[in-house]
Amino acid sequence: GQQLNQSPQSMFIQEGEDVSMNCTSSSIFNTWLWYKQDPGEGPVLLIALYKAGELTSNGRLTAQFGITRKDSFLNISASIPSDVGIYFCAGLGRLGGSQGNLIFGKGTKLSVKP
Amino acid sequence: DAGVTQSPTHLIKTRGQQVTLRCSPKSGHDTVSWYQQALGQGPQFIFQYYEEEERQRGNFPDRFSGHQFPNYSSELNVNALLLGDSALYLCASSPGGNREQYFGPGTRLTVT
């Protein structure tokens, strides 16, 4: 099935560091969503973006809807141990395609530096 | 306010068998979508139900079918199970078809 391009695939964080990840697509979306998934659980919605250029924050998390509507970015500031997990981007309302199904990236896995 | 709930949590089935998974949406949500998540992958869309009808369908065979009840809860049925059907099955609900979706904890299906 179709998936978005999400990078990096994995990264190691040290407490207090800032983290950045991004998601790109060849298709235009009306909405971008960011989710976090812990092992054995369902994805939890972090941030929803509805307009090109929109910048939205949720605590230490900030996400942006790219101007081209084909990409999105997520930043985590001053990371803490509970930020560990897998972060997924998802596009909703693909232009020229079906409107109601989410199309996901493969995820960015955040781990603690050994 | 209860979130999305799914049952059962885990399930082990044998090839060729049939399985039914259940989902109750978040209060106030009328649309239910089902996703399959293989290990190490993002969720893949199976289908979406609204007003008791399948509104959209992803690239999954007819062995995958579903139902939505008048109270908006939903079932996912998979017939003639294959080893490749082993995955985490996620249900998501939304207040309308083209809105942000909230996921349940999933059902882990293992086919042996």
Side-chain angles (χ1 to χ4, degrees), chain B residues 89-107:
Chain B
Y89 287 85
L90 295 162
C91 167
S93 73
S94 56
N98 195 19
R99 298 286 305 276
E100 64 272 14
Q101 298 179 13
Y102 294 84
F103 284 83
T107 294

Side-chain angles (χ1 to χ4, degrees), chain A residues 1-3 30-31 33 35 37 40-43 45 48 50 88 92-93 98-102 104-106, chain B residues 33 35 37 40-45 48 56 59 88 90 92 97-106 108:
Chain A
Q2 181 182 2
Q3 285 191 320
N30 292 326
T31 301
L33 306 169
Y35 290 88
Q37 187 174 28
E41 299 185 11
L45 182 63
Y50 303 104
F88 288 100
L92 181 64
S98 57
Q99 294 295 299
N101 59 295
L102 292 173
F104 281 84
K106 280 193 168 183
Chain B
S33 304
Y35 293 81
Q37 187 177 23
Q41 301 292 319
Q44 295 285 324
F45 176 72
Q48 184 180 83
Q56 295 181 60
N59 189 26
L88 181 67
L90 295 162
N98 195 19
R99 298 286 305 276
E100 64 272 14
Q101 298 179 13
Y102 294 84
F103 284 83
R108 171 69 62 185

Side-chain angles (χ1 to χ4, degrees), chain B residues 36-39 83-89 107-110:
Chain B
Q36 180 195 67
Q37 187 177 23
L39 209 58
L83 294 179
D85 294 332
S86 295
L88 181 67
Y89 287 85
T107 294
R108 171 69 62 185
L109 172 65
T110 302

Side-chain angles (χ1 to χ4, degrees), chain A residues 1-9 22-35 65 69-73 87-95 101-108, chain B residues 40-44:
Chain A
Q2 181 182 2
Q3 285 191 320
L4 306 177
N5 300 311
Q6 194 171 345
S7 65
Q9 283 188 318
N22 69 78
C23 194
T24 61
S25 169
S26 56
S27 302
I28 290 173
F29 289 95
N30 292 326
T31 301
W32 284 90
L33 306 169
W34 285 91
Y35 290 88
F65 192 142
R69 295 168 65 193
K70 292 183 178 181
D71 57 5
S72 180
F73 307 86
Y87 291 79
F88 288 100
C89 62
L92 181 64
R94 182 169 62 92
L95 192 67
N101 59 295
L102 292 173
I103 297 175
F104 281 84
K106 280 193 168 183
T108 293
Chain B
Q41 301 292 319
Q44 295 285 324

Side-chain angles (χ1 to χ4, degrees), chain A residues 28-84:
Chain A
I28 290 173
F29 289 95
N30 292 326
T31 301
W32 284 90
L33 306 169
W34 285 91
Y35 290 88
K36 178 176 183 271
Q37 187 174 28
D38 291 326
E41 299 185 11
V44 173
L45 182 63
L46 301 173
I47 292 180
L49 302 156
Y50 303 104
K51 287 171 55 177
E54 180 182 356
L55 189 70
T56 297
S57 293
N58 178 8
R60 292 177 297 105
L61 276 61
T62 302
Q64 185 162 23
F65 192 142
I67 290 292
T68 66
R69 295 168 65 193
K70 292 183 178 181
D71 57 5
S72 180
F73 307 86
L74 176 70
N75 295 310
I76 305 173
S77 62
S79 58
I80 59 178
S82 62
D83 289 335
V84 163

